[in-house]
Structures are given as structure tokens and as C-alpha cells.
Amino acid sequence: RERTPPTPLLLTDWLTRVVFDWRSQRTSRFASLTHPRCLRSFAMPAQARCQVLCSLATVCAVISCAAAQTCGEVDSCEAGGDCASRELLAGRGWHPSMPPIGVGLDYLEASRWFQANTPKLLPPPAGRTAREADMLRWTAADFVAQRRAGAVTCEEYVRALAAQVVHYREYNAFCHWGTYSNWTDAVIAQAMKLDALAASQGVDALAPLYCLPIPAKDTLATASFPSAAGAMHFAGRYAVKNAHIVDRIEAMRGLILGKTNTPVFAYSYTTCSAECGCAVNAYAPGLHTCGSSGGSAVAVSLHAAPIALTEDTGGSTRCPAANNGNFGYDPYQNKFNYPSDGNIGITFVNDQLGINARALDDVLWWDQITGDLVKEHTAASRKVARQGMSEIRIGLPMEYLVEHCVHGDGDTFFGSPKCTDLMRRPASNIMAKYHAVKAALQKAGVTLVLQDWPKRKPSDEMNYLEYAYNHPPRATDTSLLPPAEAFFSMRMEIMNFANTYLGIASSANKLVEDDLMVQLAGGPEEAKHPFPFSFQDSLSLTGFRHVSQVWVPKVAIPAWNSYFDAHDLDMILAPAGFCGAYTYSDMANGTTQLGVSYDGGSTWEDTAATQMDCNFVSFFTAKQFPVSKLMFPVGRDDRNGGTIGMQFYSRSGPPGADPMEVPTMGKRKENTWDIEFLHKVKRVLDAMYDIDPSLQRFDAPHLGL
């Protein structure tokens, strides 16, 4: 069989935050259409045309006269040979860690630029004291215990973290240095105020967070920090009110430790933005941090904070955790103590706040403290401790989540291969870790269920999970797959964030004209239908309602839980992506590595792939309905010195719950149902790390910690 290499991921894809590898896009066509004179063929005001190119600085890249020559509407370049957008963009700024204007839109050129401009490792700060190093090693729970005991002040701890933030500023974990250069001083000032409160009213006046500093993803609205959501158009703009989670943290006497790097509107697996630059992986600077919560993940791995706020639509909490050696908790949707109000989202169906942490204990601690769930966590911990290890049952299904293809007439809309052509699975280095985890769990005495998903019907070729995602009933004959229809709400979410939290009073159409959304598209070609996918015309309110009212409760949740019910499982184990932490160069070139088989799984080889091929199965599966996911590190990637992660999935809702009620159950504290899952994960991982120390989390060596 002729093996056609995958289409490379164009530079335009990651600059405009388009995750999907639309194989119909071509560089010359895109570049020509982004010339200002080409835009005149669209019904847009002149000001909006300029904004399409420059206000978010995501589709501006380089727009050369040579590219303009290919546009049917343009016969010659502007006088002087430079496009107008070049001057407009120059006034907005362009971070030096982004390929500069002039590199071009060619993916190979961008790949070479990343290779030639790999960031350098920074040594530890020369003046760091032993005391400061100790504080940087503390977990969140460690710090709170020390603060309660009076062994440290808020100011001392925040100064230690702020020094780490500033020293590693070039790693681009944090944002808004250009519009708020002294923000670390402001956080220190807030810490001093809390110290004064403790001095006057007693240390317990700081309960329950005791001035714990917490970085916040830039998608969250904050009145004290710029709230740009990665967009140049919003650079320097402050929210008129805080996101719900920010108010909760401040009410619990916590501190927001700045805003972390986020791609524009969080729509990318690559954490790069024109204002904040490209986030740098602390383990190996040329490695990809993943996204869209790459800034938060890097902040934690750098020991600039023990815990950070993230958000996940299709892996944005978990993928950065895996690539940066962290634990990543993506709670089930609508969990009451992880409210998404004030977070600019992509789809109401998928979006969910979460956290990254260096210690699993901090994940459990944060959940119980922020939800006032101490009694519930204590009871779950005791219950799990009384169980024999063999009573914990973990499923390891291979079909779909590990070895992936689509049978028969199933829809391959999201890039899944047909089983008659090939199968995909994680690259060999990730599979080696997967088997090492499996071996350690077996030695620990955990019951491993090595069975695949049940069939919906005995005669079906595909299993029940594949049926739900690739063969499901649709709203109409012309509707797209339900997981795609879920993205219908993105325009509404952006408009709500702009109106409610940034105080921009505007209709949806006006927002389009002002280019708050057109730059998410694959180019001005889509400006008339401002949505980040080429399938905008096929999305509908009917399809969106079908997702939430029919597909989720009647198809997806029953399909997911069928595996748990068939084998009486506590959790499922699966890899974190198919490619691991690839380089920025490989990302731009579409030469990341995953495993493929052309003979039905008998033999496997690693081959080039795009980000979408790497990440869709691992991070979009079970995101449209409530399932808790816990990403955990499994040691060093011997290929590149980076880290590899695996993830556990919970069932959707408690056993016996009505699937129609599961999507909204999490809004009420009394219905919290994943606490026992978290404690079983902790017990399993504690045993696994003891048995095989090579799977343990490790710090980036150059940090000196």
C-alpha cells in the first residue's frame, strides 16, 4: 500500500489557533487572502479589515507582495512594496519568541526558525538562599501548614515565588509584562496586607487558604490584572468584575499570582501568543509545552507556584500537565467548586476549570478546601484504606483509546483513520511507559481488566464507544457529528465574556465587525462566518440542542458507562496523547511522531503526524459529558529528556444515576461523586511509584531544586 505522509500542520494553523488539520488549506491561498486589498471583496468596514489583520496579531504573520500577486482581486502590490498591515502590526508589538514578521507562512521555514531559535536553559538565581529553595519546594498544603504555624509570612513566601517568576520570565509562563510590568510588586503588596490582617486578628483570619498564591489562566476575568485571553485586541484591558473562581479564591484569603500564558481565546494545543510569546518547557526548552494552559503548567513545573488554575475543553489541563511533569485534574463538568463563570470558553458542553500541581496530595487538598469537603474526603480516604488492593479495578481497553481507527461507514470528521487504511496508537516511547505502568500496577496487586469496550449489539463491528463518537444518531440528515455541533456556542461565549466581564457593550454582529472573533478563523476568507472551523455553515442551534438533550444523556453517557458496568470498574487507564512532548519545530513542520499499523495491528512503526492526530483521541474523548480525569507523570522520556504522562478516567456520574440528570448533578455540593475516585487514584499511584521509582515525577535538573 502506498503510504502518503500526513499533511504538515501549517504555521497558519497554530498562529490562528486552529487545532484541526484542514487539509484543504494551503499557504499561498491563505497568504494571498490576508492581503488588505483582497479583503475588500468582503462586506466589511475598512477599520474591521485592518483589525482582521492586526488587532489580535494572529493572522498577520508575514503578508508579502509576492503572496498578494496570487489573489484574483489584486493585480499589483501597494506602492512601496509593503503591505499596510506591516505598519499597523508594528505598533502593537510582537513577542520575539514568536516567528517574526518576515519568516513567512511556509511550515518548513517556521520549523527551521524554531530550530535556530531554541531558548537557552537558565541556571538557578545566583543569590537564592537555602531558605528560599526550601520554600520553592513546598507543596500548597506545606505552605498553608507553615503559615498557620507562624513559621513563614505571606510576604516572605510571595517574595520567594516572585523572584522565581522574574528570574524565569523568558520562559513566558506569565503574561502582560508589557502592559503591567510591576505586577509582582502588586502581589507582594497584597501579601503584606494579609500579614497585617493576621497580625491584628490572628492567623486564622487568613483561613482557609492563608494567602496561598495561585496563578490564573489568562482566560479568567480579573479586575486586578489584564484579562486578554491571549488576544492582542484585549491587551491591557481589565475586567469590570472577576470570574467566579477568582472571587472565591480572594474570599478564602488566597492571592492571584498573575495571569499565565494562553493562546488566543485558548483555542490551540500550542501556547503561543503575540503579546506573551511561546511558553518554554522547563525540562528541555525546545520541547512543546502543549496548551492551552501551557503557561499555568510551566509556572508549576518551574516552582513559581505549587498549584495553578487551568481550563480544559479538549485536553488543555491534561496535555500541558503531561508535557511539563505535573498532575493535572480535569473535574467533571459543572463541579460546584470549579465554577466556569467568567472564563472565556469555547463550548458550554466541554469547558471546565481545573488545576495543575506538582503533588497529587495538593490536588486532593485543593478539592477539599475549596469545596468545604473535608468530611467527605476524610470518609473516602478511610474507606479506600480499608479496601484490599485487589478490590480496586482498573480497565485497560485497547480499542479506540489506545489503538484507534473507525470501522465501516463511521464518520472520520475529526481525522480518525479508517480501519481498512491504517490504525493509530501512541508512539513507541509512550507505549513503553504504558506497559511499565501496567506492570507496576500488576505487582501492586491491583485488578486489571484487559477487556475492550462491549458492543452495542452483538452484530456491530464497532464497540459501543466508537458507535457513540463515529456512528451516532444526528439531529438532522445534514448535521455534523454531535461533538462538532457542540462548538455552536463559541460565539455566544466570546460575546458574553466581552459584554459581561470586559464591559464591551456590543451585539454579536458588532463583535464580528470589531474582530473579536474573525481572527479565530482560518483566514479572512471565513470572516463572513467568524468561527474557527471551516464547517461553520453546518452548525446549528438544532444540532447544539441535540448534543445536550439527546446525544449526551441517551447515547454518550450510556456508552461510556457500559464499560464500567460490564466489568465493575473504578477507573480506566489510557495514555496522555499519542505523541508526547514533541518539539516546536516538529509541531510547525507536522513531523511529530505516533505509531501506525498498516496490517491490522500485527506490526507497528512510528511515523510523522500532526497535532490533531496526536491529541484528538486522548483529549476529546469523554469531554462532552461529565467524567473526571487525572493526569499523572510517569517519569522521563528518554528520547528528548522531557516528561510523559498517563491519565485515569472516572465513570460518568455515580452508579445508578439517571443519565438525564448527570450533566447538572455537579452544581450541587451534596451530589459530589468523584471523591472516592480521587482517593483510589492516590492509593494506586502511591503503590505504583514505590514499586517502580523510574515512573516518579522529577524536577527539571537545571532548576537546582
Side-chain angles (χ1 to χ4, degrees):
R1 180 183 295 110
E2 181 180 357
R3 302 180 184 181
T4 303
T7 303
L9 185 67
L10 303 182
L11 178 58
T12 53
D13 285 340
W14 66 266
L15 281 175
T16 59
R17 300 170 53 257
V18 176
V19 174
F20 299 91
D21 177 33
W22 297 114
R23 288 166 170 78
S24 62
Q25 292 183 354
R26 291 295 181 267
T27 299
S28 61
R29 176 167 170 263
F30 180 88
S32 66
L33 285 168
T34 54
H35 190 281
R37 295 188 63 177
C38 299
L39 286 173
R40 293 173 187 171
S41 62
F42 299 111
M44 300 177 65
Q47 182 181 10
R49 287 200 302 271
C50 292
Q51 289 175 333
V52 167
L53 292 168
C54 297
S55 66
L56 292 181
T58 52
V59 290
C60 235
V62 60
I63 304 167
S64 67
C65 293
Q69 299 280 13
T70 66
C71 180
E73 288 79 18
V74 177
D75 296 325
S76 62
C77 294
E78 300 282 355
D82 284 329
C83 296
S85 60
R86 192 180 296 267
E87 286 77 17
L88 291 170
L89 181 61
R92 303 303 298 265
W94 187 268
H95 199 280
S97 67
M98 293 276 282
I101 308 169
V103 162
L105 296 173
D106 181 80
Y107 62 86
L108 184 56
E109 189 176 0
S111 177
R112 289 170 177 166
W113 186 91
F114 276 117
Q115 285 182 323
N117 292 275
T118 299
K120 305 298 183 183
L121 284 172
L122 293 178
R128 181 196 288 163
T129 67
R131 165 72 169 172
E132 289 169 338
D134 285 342
M135 288 189 287
L136 294 178
R137 296 187 194 100
W138 285 347
T139 66
D142 287 340
F143 163 71
V144 168
Q146 293 286 333
R147 186 65 189 89
R148 289 185 66 186
V152 67
T153 65
C154 302
E155 179 187 356
E156 183 186 16
Y157 185 59
V158 171
R159 283 189 181 278
L161 296 187
Q164 192 79 343
V165 169
V166 172
H167 180 73
Y168 290 104
R169 174 175 166 175
E170 294 179 15
Y171 281 40
N172 303 324
F174 291 87
C175 273
H176 309 308
W177 296 102
T179 55
Y180 191 9
S181 60
N182 64 334
W183 66 262
T184 54
D185 293 337
V187 180
I188 292 170
Q190 289 298 313
M192 294 169 68
K193 289 182 180 179
L194 291 179
D195 281 334
L197 178 66
S200 63
Q201 299 183 21
V203 70
D204 286 338
L206 304 183
L209 291 181
Y210 292 89
C211 67
L212 177 70
I214 304 146
K217 187 175 179 178
D218 198 32
T219 51
L220 288 162
T222 49
S224 299
F225 298 90
S227 302
M232 284 291 286
H233 185 90
F234 291 158
R237 186 182 290 273
Y238 291 74
V240 296
K241 66 176 183 177
N242 287 327
H244 190 177
I245 189 68
V246 173
D247 279 339
R248 285 175 63 97
I249 288 170
E250 293 181 346
M252 291 185 285
R253 303 300 188 189
L255 292 170
I256 298 300
L257 184 63
K259 304 295 285 295
T260 58
N261 197 352
T262 306
V264 184
F265 294 161
Y267 200 87
S268 181
Y269 285 120
T270 299
T271 301
C272 291
S273 67
E275 181 192 6
C276 304
C278 293
V280 176
N281 192 305
Y283 289 86
L287 292 184
H288 201 254
T289 63
C290 205
S292 60
S293 303
S296 290
V298 173
V300 171
S301 68
L302 283 174
H303 288 253
I307 195 168
L309 295 177
T310 59
E311 179 271 338
D312 194 304
T313 299
S316 293
T317 288
R318 294 166 288 146
C319 187
N323 284 18
N324 295 277
N326 297 333
F327 293 89
Y329 176 44
D330 178 25
Y332 58 81
Q333 284 92 321
N334 297 316
K335 189 167 183 179
F336 78 99
N337 50 331
Y338 299 82
S340 294
D341 312 56
N343 177 76
I344 189 168
I346 294 175
T347 164
F348 293 120
V349 177
N350 293 32
D351 299 334
Q352 180 56 51
L353 293 187
I355 55 173
N356 264 214
R358 291 192 305 275
L360 180 57
D361 284 346
D362 272 353
V363 172
L364 277 66
W365 175 86
W366 178 263
D367 191 63
Q368 66 180 2
I369 294 300
T370 59
D372 190 22
L373 295 168
V374 176
K375 292 181 180 179
E376 291 82 354
H377 273 271
T378 300
S381 177
R382 290 172 178 171
K383 178 181 177 181
V384 172
R386 290 194 298 267
Q387 292 180 319
M389 192 63 80
S390 63
E391 295 180 69
I392 300 177
R393 298 175 60 84
I394 302 177
L396 284 78
M398 294 297 288
E399 289 184 4
Y400 205 85
L401 287 178
V402 182
E403 296 180 350
H404 182 77
C405 63
V406 176
H407 292 87
D409 60 354
D411 199 313
T412 60
F413 181 80
F414 286 107
S416 298
K418 287 284 190 179
C419 295
T420 52
D421 296 330
L422 60 90
M423 299 171 65
R424 291 193 188 123
R425 76 174 188 183
S428 56
N429 57 323
I430 299 175
M431 289 304 299
K433 288 290 187 181
Y434 178 76
H435 291 303
V437 169
K438 176 182 172 182
L441 295 178
Q442 286 178 323
K443 289 182 180 179
V446 176
T447 298
L448 302 183
V449 177
L450 308 180
Q451 300 291 327
D452 281 313
W453 233 274
K455 309 289 186 183
R456 188 176 67 97
K457 297 184 296 185
S459 59
D460 283 347
E461 187 177 20
M462 85 294 292
N463 64 40
Y464 203 170
L465 185 62
E466 182 188 331
Y467 163 79
Y469 274 91
N470 300 92
H471 309 256
R474 310 180 190 221
T476 68
D477 291 341
T478 60
S479 295
L480 300 181
L481 286 174
E485 294 282 1
F487 289 89
F488 174 81
S489 67
M490 184 171 183
R491 284 188 294 181
M492 293 180 284
E493 294 207 50
I494 295 176
M495 183 179 68
N496 178 65
F497 183 83
N499 291 355
T500 305
Y501 292 93
L502 297 185
I504 301 175
S506 181
S507 67
N509 289 337
K510 179 61 176 173
L511 288 175
V512 171
E513 292 176 1
D514 286 347
D515 130 307
L516 301 186
M517 303 183 0
V518 294
Q519 301 210 46
L520 297 175
E525 166 188 20
E526 297 176 355
K528 293 181 293 184
H529 305 288
F531 194 78
F533 307 111
S534 301
F535 54 82
Q536 166 66 16
D537 287 340
S538 299
L539 297 176
S540 68
L541 181 59
T542 298
F544 183 76
R545 287 173 173 166
H546 174 78
V547 174
S548 58
Q549 298 174 11
V550 178
W551 182 74
V552 164
K554 296 183 179 181
V555 179
I557 291 177
W560 182 259
N561 285 343
S562 69
Y563 188 62
F564 286 82
D565 294 337
H567 304 293
D568 190 25
L569 296 178
D570 295 297
M571 64 193 78
I572 289 172
L573 172 69
F578 282 16
C579 302
Y582 37 82
T583 65
Y584 275 98
S585 176
D586 283 337
M587 173 278 301
N589 199 25
T591 50
T592 61
Q593 297 286 305
L594 53 66
V596 296
S597 173
Y598 297 94
D599 56 12
S602 297
T603 59
W604 293 87
E605 61 186 76
D606 289 351
T607 191
T610 68
Q611 284 197 99
M612 190 59 186
D613 297 334
C614 294
N615 296 326
F616 168 70
V617 175
S618 299
F619 298 126
F620 270 87
T621 304
K623 267 307 297 183
Q624 301 77 18
F625 48 94
V627 170
S628 288
K629 307 159 201 74
L630 195 290
M631 182 67 65
F632 59 97
V634 291
R636 178 186 173 88
D637 185 344
D638 291 332
R639 284 188 175 184
N640 53 34
T643 63
I644 294 177
M646 298 286 157
Q647 58 185 331
F648 285 125
Y649 298 83
S650 77
R651 67 175 291 120
S652 184
D658 183 348
M660 298 296 292
E661 297 179 358
V662 168
T664 59
M665 289 180 67
K667 294 182 178 181
R668 300 183 297 277
K669 175 183 175 181
E670 61 270 20
N671 288 337
T672 303
W673 49 265
D674 70 340
I675 296 177
E676 189 172 323
F677 161 76
L678 291 174
H679 284 273
K680 287 182 177 179
V681 166
K682 172 176 167 50
R683 186 170 182 199
V684 164
L685 291 184
D686 285 348
M688 182 193 78
Y689 290 139
D690 284 343
I691 290 170
D692 188 348
S694 71
L695 299 175
Q696 293 177 5
R697 183 192 180 278
F698 67 100
D699 281 326
H702 76 283
L703 297 179
L705 294 169

